């Protein structure tokens, strides 16, 4: 083991931001690998196997979204987007590609470092127990991140697994919007309840026998959601 807390990959074409972040992350005890473009970022991700990646979207060769998708083909490492794109659509696109969090430029270094800590904590907290969840036609194995619907493989994104995992840790109990958002997306997203509506709909579409009449992913109007599993 090295003396570093973790290795952080920084895919960013702006030299000043890269140097500044490298210094700030270094002070916090992280080892930093710098990549100045998307192609380099993809190579560094696979050769250095970082614990977390910070990815800019506006890169000179390819879009940062391609870097994220590429990493997601083989790794569940936390990916934090650092981008000037501030529209909700851009954020959802990044989350869809597999990003775990999103920081908009210009950013505060204190906030960015806090998000890095949260993302790394999520990674460290392994799901409890090895048992799979039985949800009507589906079996969800949170540990192996594998889902079967009537014996056929169903793909869930990393965020969807985190959402199911968070609900499953409080199986049968109501989990508030605030808690879900903070657990799955980070404490700064506590007001973004529309994320939950979008993702719960996707989970119901994928996992419920009748998504219009959910039996497992239940809405507690105005409060949160509750996951009910079969015995
Ligand atoms: Ca850029």
């Amino acid at each position: 083991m090295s003396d570093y807390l973790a290795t952080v990959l920084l895919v960013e074409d702006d030299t000043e931001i890269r140097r500044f972040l490298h210094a700030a992350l270094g002070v916090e005890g992280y080892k930093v690998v710098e990549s100045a473009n998307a192609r380099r970022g993809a190579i560094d991700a696979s050769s250095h196997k970082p614990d977390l990646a910070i990815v800019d979207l506006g890169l000179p060769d390819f879009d940062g979204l391609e870097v994220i998708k590429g990493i997601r083909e083989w790794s569940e490492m936390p990916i934090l987007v650092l981008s000037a794109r501030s529209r909700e659509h851009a954020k959802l696109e990044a989350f869809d590609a597999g990003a775990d969090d999103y920081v908009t430029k210009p950013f505060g270094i204190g906030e960015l470092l806090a998000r890095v800590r949260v993302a790394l904590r999520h990674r460290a907290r392994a799901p409890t127990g090895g048992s799979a969840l039985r949800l009507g036609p589906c079996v969800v194995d949170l540990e192996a991140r594998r889902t079967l619907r009537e014996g056929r493989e169903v793909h869930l994104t990393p965020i969807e697994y985190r959402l199911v995992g968070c609900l499953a840790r409080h199986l049968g109990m109501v989990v508030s919007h605030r808690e879900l958002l903070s657990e799955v997306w980070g404490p700064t997203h506590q007001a973004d309840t529309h994320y939950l509506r979008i993702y719960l709909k996707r989970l119901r579409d994928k996992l419920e026998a009748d998504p219009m009449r959910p039996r497992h992913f239940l809405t507690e109007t105005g409060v949160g959601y509750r996951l009910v599993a079969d015995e």
Side-chain angles (χ1 to χ4, degrees):
M1 273 302 286
S2 69
D3 292 335
Y4 295 109
L5 284 177
T7 300
V8 174
L9 173 68
L10 185 53
V11 188
E12 166 65 77
D13 60 321
D14 185 316
T15 315
E16 271 183 44
I17 293 183
R18 224 169 48 231
R19 280 193 193 139
F20 170 64
L21 277 177
H22 193 150
L25 289 161
V27 167
E28 295 291 306
Y30 300 111
K31 179 183 173 184
V32 179
V33 177
E34 292 186 29
S35 321
N37 58 54
R39 199 184 299 267
R40 193 66 240 172
I43 293 168
D44 289 339
S46 59
S47 58
H48 291 269
K49 301 275 188 299
D51 300 291
L52 173 142
I54 299 175
V55 179
D56 177 24
L57 296 182
L59 295 166
D61 48 354
F62 299 108
D63 195 289
L65 288 172
E66 299 307 317
V67 178
I68 297 171
K69 288 177 193 161
I71 291 175
R72 276 292 168 260
E73 284 175 12
W74 59 273
S75 171
E76 299 288 316
M77 74 174 77
I79 301 176
L80 203 158
V81 169
L82 180 60
S83 175
R85 296 176 200 165
S86 59
R87 291 189 0 258
E88 189 169 289
H89 172 73
K91 294 182 184 176
L92 285 173
E93 216 171 32
F95 286 131
D96 269 346
D100 296 283
D101 202 356
Y102 200 106
V103 175
T104 310
K105 293 174 182 171
F107 61 100
I109 188 65
E111 156 139 37
L112 186 95
L113 293 172
R115 304 280 194 97
V116 166
R117 282 194 297 272
V118 168
L120 288 169
R121 246 201 332 270
H122 273 305
R123 179 202 55 143
R125 199 190 300 136
T128 52
S131 63
L133 283 171
R134 297 200 155 271
L135 308 173
C138 296
V139 179
V140 182
D141 185 339
L142 290 168
E143 205 147 27
R145 294 206 165 195
R146 192 149 177 263
T147 299
L148 297 176
R149 183 177 176 122
E150 284 159 352
R152 256 188 237 160
E153 193 104 25
V154 175
H155 175 76
L156 301 191
T157 67
I159 287 204
E160 287 165 349
Y161 272 116
R162 290 234 304 265
L163 200 46
V164 176
C166 183
L167 287 163
R169 281 196 295 279
H170 309 269
L171 201 61
M173 293 181 286
V174 181
V175 187
S176 70
H177 295 141
R178 211 179 150 75
E179 188 172 352
L180 281 170
L181 286 162
S182 153
E183 281 264 330
V184 177
W185 281 276
T188 51
H189 291 287
Q190 289 181 1
D192 298 330
T193 47
H194 57 282
Y195 288 178
L196 288 175
R197 278 198 300 279
I198 294 167
Y199 277 89
L200 261 298
K201 182 183 181 308
R202 288 187 192 169
L203 284 174
R204 284 172 179 149
D205 286 344
K206 289 180 184 179
L207 304 176
E208 291 273 4
D210 180 359
M212 298 308 286
R213 270 187 293 261
R215 288 186 45 231
H216 303 285
F217 294 90
L218 307 181
T219 301
E220 295 292 328
T221 309
V223 181
Y225 295 90
R226 178 203 305 269
L227 178 63
V228 176
D230 297 322
E231 289 300 303

